[in-house]
């Protein structure tokens, strides 16, 4: 098979690494990719927002499957545009990608299909949003309705924080994504990430993980796209997985089919495990980043076989096997992240840091004058496996400490919840 992978982050490097290992693969292309992905695939200078150019490339190179990494192109309808050209795509339609593209859409679906989630309100103007917050009180959660690169959510512990979050949404800080907001009740419990491979009809459980959204040790500071993750998530017991499938995933699949937008691709449920059971925080319609990195380290089966089964509606006849080991990834970020990151600093020792049971996925890197440099906020994902989360953690940090990058930083406590349980 000839495969085209779209994207340039750590998630896409992990997907490229796993796809490249498939005996089914003839040639892997990636657009635009990064230096790490370039070790697994031929990099192509394609603008992934230019759907017509991608279709032309697919025809020229006889691409058998397009794998879409990030959410932006999915919400923009790339899967529909390529399918209209008879090009096979792993990823949901534009209508199905609304599960991520509009938080309000998802909340309304939950209300209609009795899917457990936080109580909420939707608002298109600042005055009514603020009035709702004043009436409800804090703590409260403010979310930009649209895509905001993981930064459009504020867990406001005070009314002043909530007001400031609403101001930033409506003053254009998140562009069109903040033109409408969803305000939710504050839920307590333990967060978990739950993945399902979907083909429009069947949803196949595809692993669990927990990530660390806050920038600082001890879960302090602003939210980020994710500073690290581990898999599996201990809180996702077999019973909790069964409940999540029955109460959240299956009603969602039915609801999307009823709307004429059956969901095919990867469905990523952000969950809060409360004392009453699992509740949906939000959906993403692609692999998580950095959760994908730990899932790919644990996946025993051929990823390309599974992506084909999902694309062809064959998941009812498919199973997934996982390695017994735990996996953990630590994000190395550039100084300034999650604000404006400092780009261009030289990174040394990445190849020396990789070892048995350790993979280093590139997330925001470039080559400048022959040197590897930082080219984004989240720059490297140092990922390791171990018999326990604690062992994977020790391996990951030992590898990370061999990387020479004075301008980078990381959290030193990734996996603390799971390690405390061991």
């Amino acid at each position: 098979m000839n495969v085209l992978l779209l994207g340039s982050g750590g998630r896409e490097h992990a997907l490229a690494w796993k796809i490249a290992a498939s005996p089914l693969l003839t040639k892997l292309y990636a657009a635009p990719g990064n230096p790490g992905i370039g070790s697994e695939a031929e990099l192509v200078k394609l603008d992934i927002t230019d759907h017509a150019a991608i279709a032309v490339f697919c025809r020229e190179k006889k691409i058998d499957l397009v794998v879409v990494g990030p959410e932006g192109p999915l919400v923009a309808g790339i899967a529909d545009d390529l399918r209209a050209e008879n090009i096979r795509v792993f990823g949901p339609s534009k209508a199905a990608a609304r599960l991520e593209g509009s938080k309000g859409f998802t909340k309304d679906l939950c209300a209609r299909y009795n899917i457990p989630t936080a109580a909420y309100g939707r608002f298109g103007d600042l005055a009514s949003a603020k009035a709702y917050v004043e009436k409800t009180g804090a703590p409260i959660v403010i979310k930009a309705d649209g895509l905001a690169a993981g930064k459009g959510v504020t867990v406001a512990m005070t009314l002043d924080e909530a007001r400031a979050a609403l101001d930033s949404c409506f003053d254009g800080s998140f562009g069109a994504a903040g033109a409408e907001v969803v305000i939710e009740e504050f839920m307590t419990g333990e967060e978990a990430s739950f993945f399902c491979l979907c083909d429009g009809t069947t949803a196949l459980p595809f692993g669990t993980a927990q990530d660390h959204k806050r920038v600082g040790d001890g879960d302090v500071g602003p939210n980020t796209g994710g500073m690290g993750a581990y898999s599996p998530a201990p809180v996702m017991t077999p019973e909790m997985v069964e409940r999540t499938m029955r109460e959240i995933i299956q009603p969602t699949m039915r609801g999307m089919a009823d709307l004429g937008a059956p969901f095919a691709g990867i469905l990523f449920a952000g969950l809060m495990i409360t004392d009453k059971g699992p509740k949906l925080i939000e959906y993403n319609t692609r692999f998580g980043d950095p959760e994908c990195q730990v899932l790919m380290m644990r996946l025993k089966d051929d990823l390309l076989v599974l992506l084909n089964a999902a694309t062809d509606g064959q998941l009812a006849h498919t199973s997934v096997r996982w390695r017994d080991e735990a996996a953990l990834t630590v994000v190395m970020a550039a100084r300034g992240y999650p604000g404006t990151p400092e780009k261009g600093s030289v990174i040394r020792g990445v190849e020396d840091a990789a070892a048995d049971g350790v993979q280093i996925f590139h997330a925001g890197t470039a080559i400048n004058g022959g040197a590897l440099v930082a080219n984004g906020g989240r720059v490297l994902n140092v990922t390791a496996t171990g018999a326990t989360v604690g062992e994977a953690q020790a391996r990951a940090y030992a590898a990370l400490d061999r990387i020479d990058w004075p301008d980078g930083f990381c959290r030193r406590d990734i996996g603390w919840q799971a390690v405390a349980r061991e």
Side-chain angles (χ1 to χ4, degrees):
M1 291 182 66
N2 294 325
V3 177
L4 172 63
L5 173 66
L6 301 182
S8 60
R11 164 184 50 221
E12 287 77 30
H13 188 181
L15 291 171
W17 173 74
K18 197 67 179 172
I19 291 169
S22 173
L24 293 181
L25 185 72
T26 303
K27 177 84 175 181
L28 178 60
Y29 299 92
N34 65 39
I37 295 171
S39 65
E40 310 288 354
E42 181 179 321
L43 302 187
V44 184
K45 288 184 177 175
L46 276 174
D47 177 356
I48 65 173
T49 66
D50 188 342
H51 301 181
I54 290 169
V56 168
F57 177 85
C58 289
R59 284 194 297 272
E60 285 177 355
K61 299 296 184 182
K62 297 183 170 56
I63 298 298
D64 298 296
L65 182 67
V66 177
V67 179
V68 186
E71 62 275 17
L74 293 169
V75 171
I78 193 167
D80 310 72
D81 292 343
L82 294 180
R83 287 183 186 122
E85 301 280 341
N86 294 315
I87 297 163
R88 294 172 72 246
V89 187
F90 175 78
S93 66
K94 182 176 185 175
R98 284 179 295 172
L99 284 170
E100 178 163 8
S102 169
K103 293 179 176 63
F105 170 83
T106 295
K107 298 298 284 192
D108 288 351
L109 185 83
C110 289
R112 185 173 169 187
Y113 286 88
N114 205 26
I115 296 164
T117 188
Y120 74 104
R122 294 179 71 175
F123 303 93
D125 68 280
L126 182 60
S128 56
K130 282 194 171 174
Y132 182 84
V133 163
E134 299 295 339
K135 183 180 80 175
T136 308
I140 199 164
V141 181
I142 313 294
K143 296 181 175 181
D145 179 71
L147 298 181
K151 297 170 191 168
V153 177
T154 300
V155 180
M157 302 310 291
T158 66
L159 281 174
D160 282 344
E161 281 182 82
R163 294 182 195 111
L166 289 171
D167 287 339
S168 73
C169 281
F170 286 109
D171 73 11
S173 293
F174 305 110
E180 186 175 318
V181 298
V182 172
I183 303 176
E184 295 183 350
E185 72 168 317
F186 175 79
M187 294 191 290
T188 57
E190 188 170 343
E191 288 190 43
S193 301
F194 181 68
F195 299 85
C196 284
L197 204 55
C198 305
D199 65 6
T201 305
T202 299
L204 185 67
F206 198 74
T208 66
Q210 283 177 299
D211 79 334
H212 298 259
K213 284 283 184 227
R214 303 271 187 170
V215 74
D217 285 15
D219 294 320
V220 299
N223 269 337
T224 70
M227 293 300 293
Y230 55 93
S231 175
V235 72
M236 293 302 291
T237 61
E239 181 214 12
M240 200 59 70
V241 167
E242 192 275 328
R243 279 193 68 180
T244 300
M245 290 299 295
R246 185 179 73 249
E247 298 174 19
I248 296 176
I249 302 298
Q250 285 159 0
T252 298
M253 294 291 285
R254 281 197 304 276
M256 295 305 289
D258 289 350
L259 291 171
F263 188 89
I266 194 84
L267 186 59
F268 164 11
L271 303 174
M272 184 70 78
I273 309 305
T274 72
D275 54 9
K276 293 179 180 171
K279 290 190 176 185
L280 182 70
I281 300 171
E282 64 183 16
Y283 275 129
N284 295 309
T285 61
R286 37 71 190 178
F287 283 102
D289 189 346
E291 292 97 334
C292 182
Q293 290 83 312
V294 289
L295 290 177
M296 292 304 107
M297 292 287 278
R298 294 188 57 238
L299 180 62
K300 208 175 199 177
D301 288 310
D302 184 329
L303 178 63
L304 200 44
V305 169
L306 295 169
L307 299 183
N308 277 321
T311 304
D312 295 338
Q314 296 297 312
L315 288 179
H317 315 292
T318 307
S319 60
V320 183
R321 296 173 303 162
W322 299 96
R323 302 187 194 283
D324 291 335
E325 298 103 321
L328 181 140
T329 189
V330 182
V331 171
M332 294 189 79
R335 188 180 292 151
Y337 181 77
T340 303
E342 297 176 13
K343 296 184 179 182
S345 55
V346 175
I347 306 164
R348 299 181 180 87
V350 171
E351 289 173 5
D352 296 337
D356 187 37
V358 176
Q359 291 288 333
I360 297 169
F361 297 116
H362 291 229
T365 62
I367 301 293
N368 187 1
L372 186 69
V373 299
N375 191 43
R378 295 185 296 169
V379 176
L380 295 172
N381 308 141
V382 183
T383 314
T385 56
T388 62
V389 173
E391 187 175 297
Q393 181 193 60
R395 268 191 196 159
Y397 280 111
L400 184 148
D401 289 336
R402 291 195 291 273
I403 295 172
D404 178 13
W405 183 31
D407 293 293
F409 75 94
C410 68
R411 282 183 56 165
R412 304 296 308 194
D413 64 347
I414 301 302
W416 66 268
Q417 283 173 299
V419 173
R421 280 186 165 103
E422 290 174 356

